Amino acid sequence: MAPRLSLLLALLLAGASSAQQQQFMEYMERRFGALEERISQWHDQSSRYSTELREFKSQVITMLENMEKEQDRLRTEVENTAVRVDRLEREVDYLETQNPVPSCVEVDEKLMENQVSTAKKRKNEKYDKLTDCSDTISQVKAMKILKKFGSSAGLWTKDPVGSSEKIYVFDGSRNDTVYVFPRMREFTLFSATRKAARIKLPYPWVGTGHLVYGGHLYYIRQQGTFQVIKFSLANKTIVDSSVFPAEEQVPVFGLSAFNYIDIAADEEGLWAIYATRENEKNICLAKLDPVSLDIEQMWDTPCPRENAESAFVICGALYVVYNTRLPSRSRVQCVFDVSGAMTPEDAALVYFPKRYGSHSSMKYNPKERQIYAWDDGYQIIYRMEMKKKLEI
Ligand SMILES: *[C@@H]1O[C@H](CO)[C@@H](O)[C@H](O)[C@H]1NC(C)=O
Ligand SMILES: *[C@@H]1O[C@H](CO)[C@@H](O)[C@H](O)[C@H]1NC(C)=O
């Protein structure tokens, strides 16, 4: 460009003397030379800047990559720690099994004898309240995963009264057909429902709070409000029904929104676990008369609904099972004893050994002292180890 410009200027200055022209031309050449140098310096600089920018960029990228790696490492570490905590918990559980408090065992044996003799005495009588029930759970002694059947929510149960071996299966949180298997063996060995009888209920059920007790099926129906229906298994008719005396009910467990009333059996009879809008933070408990469905007494428990997934009653004490982080182990974290014999501090906060998803139901069988649980479509039995309420 410089030579073309100097040519142009040379033409413009054609009128000046040749010496002047010569001087001017030299001057202009110098100026152009200086300018060209500056331009080439700028070029150098800008290419240096862009190199530096490139280097900076690659540094930032390396840093980001390192940070990601660090994050991964931290995540793995956290996961490893969770696994270790889990293993520790299991080890503690195991150590506890290895070192049971000796007096409890004796008491348990005596209690068993007691129960056997009581059972004999009452063989022909109606199942009645066992006033001497003063046991609490100390831990899960063993668990057995029986099979995977049906939907993620459901319940399975066995009549704790009488000698029937039948297994009743309610698949799903809304249906009207109950499967009945003659024995546990038929339920666990055979696929699906080939060996099962079916009972079609007059109204569909809602939730997983149902129960079989003393030859009757107690189930929850929703017809605007919630109703407890008592259905005779002998002649397949509705014997009785009652509406809950709560203005507006809310789901009783924060983590299983389909349950408004959960009926539970224990050594003393039938209970209903529920929640109302009035006292919506906590779970309520009511004692039910199995014959008339009358509510004998009601309690507001201190157990929160939040993060609760299920509950059961043993010897007049409500045990609420919680789950806070997923996927973690379920744990009894709130105990409410209606007799007041056991303070929350005395109660063992029991862990359940394994879980798939969430316990949609946990049905305690007071005769067998085990819990029939439905964990994300898996049917599990938890055998419970007991101790006296007042012993630690
Ligand atoms: C009950 O469940 C079966 C099988 O899952 C389904 O075919 C049927 O429609 C359900 N009945 C009701 C009333 O929901
Ligand atoms: C069905 O059995 C129940 C007892 O379980 C009884 O109270 C009721 O009267 C019986 N109903 C019919 C129609 O036989």
Side-chain angles (χ1 to χ4, degrees):
M1 184 200 277
R4 243 192 16 234
L5 264 178
S6 34
L7 187 69
L8 187 71
L9 283 165
L11 291 172
L12 280 173
L13 294 166
S17 78
S18 70
Q20 276 174 327
Q21 274 183 14
Q22 186 59 36
Q23 263 179 5
F24 185 77
M25 284 307 292
E26 279 169 8
Y27 168 75
M28 284 310 287
E29 289 290 352
R30 277 202 304 280
R31 295 291 298 168
F32 278 126
L35 263 175
E36 274 169 348
E37 200 157 313
R38 287 257 286 284
I39 286 173
S40 91
Q41 271 173 9
W42 288 339
H43 264 298
D44 282 357
Q45 257 173 20
S46 81
S47 85
R48 208 167 56 237
Y49 286 153
S50 75
T51 317
E52 272 171 21
L53 197 68
R54 256 202 310 279
E55 275 168 11
F56 178 68
K57 211 168 110 182
S58 82
Q59 266 173 16
V60 167
I61 286 173
T62 323
M63 265 160 70
L64 280 177
E65 277 170 2
N66 284 346
M67 265 161 72
E68 246 166 54
K69 267 185 219 145
E70 185 69 6
Q71 225 178 6
D72 275 354
R73 197 181 58 76
L74 273 177
R75 196 177 303 127
T76 324
E77 223 164 76
V78 167
E79 275 165 11
N80 285 346
T81 313
V83 169
R84 282 221 299 277
V85 167
D86 220 43
R87 204 163 51 217
L88 264 179
E89 277 171 3
R90 265 202 299 275
E91 269 163 24
V92 169
D93 285 356
Y94 174 75
L95 281 178
E96 279 178 0
T97 358
Q98 296 308 294
N99 305 300
V101 184
S103 59
C104 284
V105 174
E106 280 166 30
V107 170
D108 271 354
E109 276 166 6
K110 251 184 264 157
L111 186 87
M112 287 303 285
E113 283 166 23
N114 250 340
Q115 278 186 336
V116 170
S117 61
T118 322
K120 270 189 201 137
K121 218 165 50 208
R122 293 181 187 196
K123 207 169 71 184
N124 295 319
E125 289 173 27
K126 208 161 65 58
Y127 189 82
D128 207 349
K129 181 172 165 163
L130 273 176
T131 47
D132 55 354
C133 181
S134 61
D135 288 351
T136 178
I137 48 176
S138 68
Q139 63 170 338
V140 178
K141 187 161 60 184
M143 76 176 291
K144 189 173 184 182
I145 304 163
L146 275 304
K147 75 182 295 178
K148 188 177 195 310
F149 172 85
S151 350
S152 64
L155 86 118
W156 67 306
T157 185
K158 192 171 155 186
D159 194 342
V161 185
S163 55
S164 165
E165 289 296 307
K166 285 178 181 164
I167 300 288
Y168 297 85
V169 179
F170 293 69
D171 179 19
S173 57
R174 232 172 240 275
N175 206 294
D176 62 357
T177 306
V178 183
Y179 297 112
V180 188
F181 294 84
R183 270 172 307 268
M184 183 75 81
R185 198 162 52 89
E186 279 77 8
F187 176 54
T188 54
L189 287 186
F190 298 102
S191 67
T193 52
R194 202 157 47 83
K195 293 271 174 178
R198 284 170 175 74
I199 299 174
K200 194 164 160 20
L201 299 173
Y203 307 109
W205 74 71
V206 52
T208 56
H210 330 297
L211 195 70
V212 176
Y213 187 84
H216 292 89
L217 205 150
Y218 296 80
Y219 77 96
I220 313 302
R221 173 198 182 196
Q222 183 176 16
Q223 195 203 25
T225 62
F226 293 89
Q227 244 181 340
V228 180
I229 307 261
K230 182 179 174 184
F231 178 85
S232 162
L233 288 167
N235 56 27
K236 308 280 188 289
T237 54
I238 291 179
V239 181
D240 210 341
S241 74
S242 77
V243 171
F244 245 63
E247 280 285 299
E248 195 183 343
Q249 288 187 245
V250 291
V252 53
F253 309 120
L255 297 182
S256 8
F258 43 77
N259 260 341
Y260 286 78
I261 303 174
D262 190 5
I263 299 178
D266 79 342
E267 293 75 0
E268 300 181 356
L270 282 191
W271 304 80
I273 307 160
Y274 64 101
T276 67
R277 178 70 63 205
E278 238 184 323
N279 175 18
E280 63 178 339
K281 287 237 177 312
N282 292 340
I283 292 171
C284 299
L285 180 68
K287 183 81 174 53
L288 278 188
D289 179 345
V291 178
S292 62
L293 295 181
D294 290 347
I295 291 176
E296 294 170 348
Q297 205 173 334
M298 300 165 95
W299 296 265
D300 286 337
T301 79
C303 299
R305 291 165 55 226
E306 196 185 349
N307 290 328
E309 63 176 20
S310 195
F312 47 87
V313 180
I314 299 180
C315 289
L318 173 76
Y319 297 79
V320 185
V321 178
Y322 292 87
N323 199 349
T324 41
R325 62 198 158 86
L326 289 171
S328 71
R329 296 164 67 197
S330 307
R331 182 179 193 180
V332 171
Q333 257 174 322
C334 186
V335 179
F336 173 73
D337 186 3
V338 302
S339 74
M342 180 173 54
T343 63
E345 295 77 45
D346 296 338
L349 301 181
V350 171
Y351 270 107
F352 289 88
K354 194 187 159 85
R355 71 197 297 276
Y356 292 96
S358 174
H359 288 113
S360 58
S361 63
M362 296 180 99
K363 296 286 161 186
Y364 174 66
N365 184 310
K367 192 167 74 179
E368 301 169 337
R369 307 220 120 174
Q370 57 189 16
I371 292 171
Y372 290 74
W374 187 294
D375 179 359
D376 204 19
Y378 287 87
Q379 289 72 43
I380 301 176
I381 285 182
Y382 295 112
R383 289 190 227 290
M384 306 310 286
E385 190 166 293
M386 300 290 174
K387 64 176 186 184
K388 285 286 161 198
K389 275 181 188 173
L390 294 177
E391 287 170 28
I392 310 298

